[in-house]
Amino acid sequence: MDASPFHDGELEAQALAGESSRGTGIRDFMPDQHRDFFALLPYLFAAGRDAQGKPIATILTGPEGFVTSPTPNELAIAALPASGDPADAALSVGASVGLLGLDLRTRRRNRANGVISGRDGHGLTIAVDQSFGNCAKYIQLRQHEPASASAPAVEELGGLDPAASALMTEADTLFIASGSESGLDMSHRGGRPGFVRIAGNRLSMPDFAGNSYFNTFGNLLREPATSLLFIDFAKGDLLQLQGVAEVVWTGPELAGIDGAKRLLKVEVTRAWRRKATLPLRWSEPEPAPTTLTTGSWRQDRAA
């Protein structure tokens, strides 16, 4: 019998949620359709670990084709973190990395996790040891076009200021990095604008029905440290956060949002803002059908 592709934390999270999965789509190599898919992307989401071992989330960009797959266990990324990216040092040779390829034009996404086997002045080489696809739930369609990027001084925030809070409370999309002894994961979360609630430096967001893998929550049960990435799709701004996560599995708080199965809370400990750093801008979103079945904290307050 094949060993489970899930580590103990993921299995525990599945049990707490009352769900299970055989994980038949999780492979130790990339099938050809995944290898071809990565080559279509002008951006790639990545998770590394900082000097303290905490996850840090970022995005790499380049022209379509900047990511290639020479073999089923290798990705070549012809890009490096932008100037001032707090995740730069985390993407070093020998470091674990979690990658998320997400095409907002089609709602298609694939994950690839592994180790950075090479880095030079042109980019990164990844030795992939885990690959799997994710469903299109809660991904809002967006079209992109090239734009001028700037390299402003990175602004490390002492707390969540009004501009950061406004970006998050208007967001319909975020990205989350998490880790365990098994490695790193980079994942996506989506919902209606207002699905992220802020109280001081604490964020709360619902978790909706997914693929029953529980990669992120399984990691957080073992290592509560996490990182969130928010994008201002109209301006090209990035907001990168680190914090400590707590998962609420049951209780009256879940009644606050239609469709919420669980609640993720993150106490933010560090935050960085980089304005107009992305060389892309995106159109107004077309919500996923699954997103339209969910609620938000904003709706709850209005009710």
Side-chain angles (χ1 to χ4, degrees), residues 32-300:
D32 288 346
Q33 62 176 339
H34 289 198
R35 299 170 65 198
D36 293 341
F37 167 74
F38 281 109
L40 301 174
L41 300 174
Y43 47 85
L44 183 67
F45 300 95
R49 289 188 187 275
D50 67 10
Q52 289 73 46
K54 298 177 181 179
I56 179 73
T58 192
I59 179 174
L60 304 173
T61 63
E64 291 185 18
F66 86 106
V67 183
T68 58
S69 177
T71 74
N73 287 102
E74 186 176 65
L75 284 175
I77 305 170
L80 293 169
S83 175
D85 189 339
D88 186 15
L91 301 183
S92 58
V93 174
S96 294
V97 64
L99 301 174
L100 169 65
L102 173 60
D103 192 340
L104 293 171
R105 299 167 295 188
T106 62
R107 295 195 177 105
R108 186 178 172 192
R109 57 177 162 169
N110 289 314
R111 306 259 279 276
N113 301 330
V115 174
I116 299 174
S117 58
R119 174 170 173 160
D120 58 24
H122 303 288
L124 307 170
T125 303
I126 312 298
V128 174
D129 56 32
Q130 189 179 64
S131 171
F132 54 100
N134 282 151
C135 65
K137 291 179 178 177
Y138 319 114
I139 299 174
Q140 317 340 323
L141 280 179
R142 282 182 163 91
Q143 306 301 319
H144 66 263
E145 59 182 25
S148 297
S150 61
V154 179
E155 183 182 3
E156 182 163 3
L157 308 179
L160 298 179
D161 63 14
S165 297
L167 174 59
M168 290 185 286
T169 54
E170 293 297 323
D172 58 42
T173 298
L174 63 86
F175 303 89
I176 180 167
S178 61
S180 71
E181 291 183 357
S182 299
L184 286 161
D185 277 293
M186 187 69 179
S187 190
H188 158 277
R189 291 292 186 274
R192 290 179 181 267
F195 85 109
V196 178
R197 182 172 67 178
I198 304 173
N201 284 325
R202 171 162 286 205
L203 311 184
S204 299
M205 64 208 77
D207 184 61
F208 304 118
N211 60 10
S212 300
Y213 284 6
F214 291 94
N215 308 108
T216 298
F217 282 8
N219 288 342
L220 295 177
L221 285 175
R222 293 295 179 263
E223 297 184 18
T226 188
S227 178
L228 303 177
L229 174 69
F230 288 85
I231 299 175
D232 186 322
F233 290 102
K235 297 179 180 178
D237 298 353
L238 288 181
L239 182 65
Q240 291 162 275
L241 309 176
Q242 285 183 313
V244 180
E246 173 194 0
V247 181
V248 178
W249 296 92
T250 60
E253 286 182 280
L254 300 183
I257 295 184
D258 289 343
K261 301 295 185 182
R262 292 151 291 275
L263 195 63
L264 175 63
K265 297 185 176 182
V266 176
E267 187 73 27
V268 176
T269 55
R270 297 190 75 180
W272 300 264
R273 178 166 47 225
R274 294 189 285 147
K275 292 184 177 180
T277 190
L278 293 178
L280 298 165
R281 301 291 185 271
W282 284 263
S283 64
E284 288 296 313
E286 178 185 328
T290 45
T291 299
L292 296 176
T293 67
T294 66
S296 69
W297 299 108
R298 181 187 302 159
Q299 290 174 321
D300 182 55

